[in-house]
Amino acid sequence: SNMEDDVSLKFRRQLLLIDENLVAEDVAALKFLCTDLLPFKKLERVKSALDIFQLLMAEEYLNEEDTFLLAELLYRIKCHSLLKKLGYTKEKVQECLHEKGRVSPYRQMLYELSENITNEMLKDIIFLLQNWLPKRRITLSALELLILLEKQGLLTENNVQMLEGVCMKVSPDLLETINCYKRAKGLESLVITIYTQIIGYPRKMIWDYVETFILFMVTAYPCSERIIWKGKKILCCFHLSLRENIVVSSSLRFAVTFFLSFLQKTTSYKMDGPHRGFCLVINNVSFDGSLQERKGSCKDAGELERVFTWLGLDVRTYENLTSLQIKDVMKTWQRLEDHKDRDCFICCILSHGESGAIYGKDEELVSIRMIMSHFTAKQCPQLAEKPKLFFIQACQGKEIQRPVYVEADAQIPDLPSMQQSVSPSESIPEEADFLLGMATIDGYVSFRHIEQGAWYIQALCSKLQLLVPRGEDILSILTEVNEDVGRRVDRWGTKKQMPQPAYTLRRKFIFPIPRDPPPS
């Protein structure tokens, strides 16, 4: 046979011995890990490990001189005792993986995920995905399920969104495996980020740190090696030979630490203090004059409290404050010494509003800019250089004709406004580290369902719960909020709304991923 022609008797005996020590689950795992390497139709016909070895030899992945791929596969499925039959040890395989590894980070991630999915979790996942699965298949293993999703194009190297969604619902702990893969996948773009970050610096000052950083990544993260080589056109500007002299001495370690610290400081806000920060929720529901009661707003306030508490903030809620009381509350929190031990500050205001302002219970307007100005570095030094986020659910213009089940957070027509038009970018203080999330653009109303709450607040809470566990930054989350609210229309399809964020943030604002599952 071809096998007898191509390989020595000794090599065939090695393969037979390995085959005899592998059970059906091991064969299924080997098939899965080879999915990107071998033709799928041929893999489907595989019955034993020997069939896989035959295919690997036919594709020139395996021969008596080079058995590393088989060693890698055995290592990945944790059959470490069989490595010695190929002359390898677990440590030797680990050492060579970054240079010789052939199983993609994507395939590794899926396999690791399958290993962590219990039978109960699998049943739940299959139930959630039943509309996408063939009706004829009743029993599926985790690996078979993943292959089915890939066949249907629902799961690819660049799109793991559906997988994230079901893992989030079934067991958020599974997300760590996917997040680890996404971080590795992002290394190529990280390299570009590094280059763009330092391009303005004197070349001599930073060059060694960049070189060291790349060497460090290759050494510390074996799966990154392929990604970096894939992007070698980008890296040619560094003039590096990544496969040579990968030795991290103590002085180089110091350089790496310095560079990582430098990179962290230039890309995201520090969010690892002992306390996350305070979150104020001001919820004005009823008013003294002609402004309507804001039905559904208590649902919004409760949702904000649950979500920001989940995110680690200390939430304080105030109801039905007059314009003077709103100003007094801001002065009180402005003077608070405890801010110095906190990472950030958040303030959410739910009320009726006009252009650039919100109404107190007494129907007097309070300028949004004035509210935010209490927390500038000069007025509140404890929050200097820390992110300050404000979310406003209020109309920014006149009330419009509307169906009864949707209300607008606007003034009523017979209450004239002296306010001039003010855009969100004009409301925000000129100095850095502020974000203002507005429910609607200037001059327009924002909608609130009298039972389900405001479109904007419900979308904000929903997207925070979905995207914070994925490591997304606040601006990416608000973009998703925009898309969500922008798609919504009222029952008659005539009323739409578009939120508008304005910001002077200097870095990415990323909430640390909470240990607990989202509250809803």
Side-chain angles (χ1 to χ4, degrees), residues 425-439:
S425 57
E426 291 175 291
S427 293
I428 198 166
E430 284 95 357
E431 70 170 67
D433 309 311
F434 278 93
L435 178 140
L436 171 59
M438 301 287 287

Side-chain angles (χ1 to χ4, degrees), residues 214-232:
I214 301 297
L215 297 180
F216 170 78
M217 293 307 285
V218 177
T219 310
Y221 300 97
C223 63
S224 72
E225 197 268 349
R226 184 180 294 100
I227 295 167
I228 289 174
W229 272 101
K230 200 166 144 189
K232 61 188 170 189

